[in-house]
Amino acid sequence: MSLRPILETRRAQPTMEGAGVHLHRAFGFQDPSELDPFLLFDDFRNDDPAFYQAGFPWHPHRGIETITYVLSGTVDHSDSLGNSGSLGAGDVQWMTAGSGILHQEMPHGNAAGQMHGFQLWGNLPGSQKMTAPRYQDVEAKEIPEVIDDDGTRVRVIVGSFWGKTGPVDGIAADPQYLDVSVPAGVTKTFRIDTYRRAFAYVFEGAGAFVDAATPQGVLLEKEVAGQELNIRDMSGDRTLVRFGTGDEVTVQAGPEGVRFLLISGAPIEEPVAWHGPIVMNTKAELNKAFAELRNGTFIKPSH
């Protein structure tokens, strides 16, 4: 087994999207090869409806898949194909935009006004960019959760892990998408197939991810005075951890535990032509998509 090195850690940056939704972006609109097959990751979280209720009105997508995971509140969605529904706490929607779709996503807070969710964009290979759009809506109760003897809990959203397989399937990137909670002070190792690109996104508590380059220098230490935990090199709330090649990731949870998404996928390794919500392989394909948006031929007949 080989521990993955940490290529970088960085904080998600505040930005605005849609009609004025305040969110934090961990990556996106930079080097698309960095986390290929993933293009963008947003953390939309707020306690004030004024910062999210305008939502994401009608907009197009082509050539990608969007993965929405809701933790608090709800997201109502509808599209140009006549689909509509609502995602609640713990629910997941995996939308394959394929040849093109127009949709809207409107967030609503829970009883306390809180809204929290994530959206990940996955690229599609050129051979699948013009496939028919489809949705996979998964309710929280359908997502398996495994609990280890040390209290570590993992929700398996996509892929297989610890003998459980997530309900979302047929995804081009062959991803693994896990929601991981590790109790305070516990050190835990997770297997990831070597050929996948991988990242972690911390959104509760803090944890020290062990770097293959300096494994002895990143774990927790106890101070002599007062036996308080002295935390060094910890990744806290809204931190992205990008890993290099290997087949294991190890984390030691801080004094409040740590919760993070652990996401990996098979790189597509194709050229990327990207503007806004449309991702193709060439500039000519991108220009054609926007021309079709203007002339009303963007949405293709269903097969």
Side-chain angles (χ1 to χ4, degrees):
M1 300 300 162
S2 60
L3 191 65
R4 285 181 177 247
I6 295 173
L7 299 181
E8 68 168 331
T9 61
R10 63 175 182 243
R11 296 294 304 274
Q13 296 300 306
T15 188
M16 235 185 323
E17 279 294 349
V21 177
H22 293 244
L23 50 80
H24 284 71
R25 178 159 293 154
F27 63 89
F29 298 106
Q30 294 155 332
D31 179 1
S33 67
E34 193 176 70
L35 279 164
D36 179 20
F38 305 114
L39 297 164
L40 175 146
F41 182 85
D42 284 344
D43 177 348
F44 50 98
R45 180 192 327 183
N46 219 292
D47 296 340
D48 185 347
F51 290 122
Y52 61 75
Q53 62 187 1
F56 307 90
W58 292 97
H59 60 280
H61 284 295
R62 176 180 285 181
I64 65 170
E65 300 181 286
T66 66
I67 304 94
T68 305
Y69 179 30
V70 177
L71 293 184
S72 302
T74 58
V75 177
D76 294 336
H77 64 89
S78 53
D79 68 32
S80 53
L81 304 176
N83 299 305
S84 64
S86 183
L87 301 175
D91 295 350
V92 174
Q93 181 191 82
W94 202 292
M95 184 192 77
T96 303
S99 61
I101 200 165
L102 296 171
H103 77 154
Q104 65 173 352
E105 299 158 300
M106 306 304 288
H108 305 281
N110 59 18
Q114 298 165 329
M115 175 70 224
H116 189 191
F118 306 106
Q119 188 166 92
L120 174 69
W121 290 13
N123 200 5
L124 282 169
S127 61
Q128 297 183 36
K129 284 191 179 295
M130 296 301 289
T131 56
R134 71 164 182 155
Y135 283 91
Q136 296 183 71
D137 284 348
V138 179
E139 293 184 3
K141 64 184 180 183
E142 300 175 56
I143 298 173
E145 182 176 71
V146 285
I147 305 174
D148 208 4
D149 293 342
D150 58 13
T152 298
R153 308 169 72 97
V154 179
R155 297 190 82 213
V156 185
I157 295 167
V158 186
S160 297
F161 188 78
W162 287 353
K164 299 289 185 179
T165 298
V168 179
D169 62 7
I171 304 303
D174 186 26
Q176 187 179 60
Y177 191 127
L178 309 174
D179 178 352
V180 180
S181 299
V182 182
V186 171
T187 300
K188 202 70 180 174
T189 296
F190 303 91
R191 292 289 310 278
I192 301 175
D193 290 344
T194 306
Y195 73 92
R196 298 170 185 267
R197 298 266 168 79
F199 70 91
Y201 182 76
V202 179
F203 62 95
E204 285 181 16
F209 287 87
V210 180
D211 188 343
T214 55
Q216 73 284 355
V218 296
L219 295 182
L220 303 179
E221 292 183 346
K222 282 201 170 187
E223 293 178 339
V224 175
Q227 294 295 294
E228 294 294 325
L229 284 171
N230 177 32
I231 302 171
R232 299 186 300 147
D233 299 309
M234 298 292 284
S235 295
D237 186 24
R238 293 194 175 105
T239 300
L240 174 78
V241 183
R242 187 164 67 93
F243 300 105
T245 303
D247 54 21
E248 289 184 341
V249 166
T250 296
V251 64
Q252 182 168 5
E256 297 178 357
V258 64
R259 187 176 179 188
F260 59 95
L261 303 179
L262 183 59
I263 298 175
S264 61
I268 295 172
E269 297 180 334
E270 292 181 355
V272 173
W274 181 5
H275 183 74
I278 297 175
V279 184
M280 304 303 288
N281 289 114
T282 68
K283 187 68 180 294
E285 292 170 340
L286 195 61
N287 290 340
K288 180 182 179 183
F290 280 98
E292 290 179 350
L293 262 178
R294 290 190 296 270
N295 66 27
T297 61
F298 184 78
I299 303 300
K300 305 304 178 186
S302 57
H303 305 294

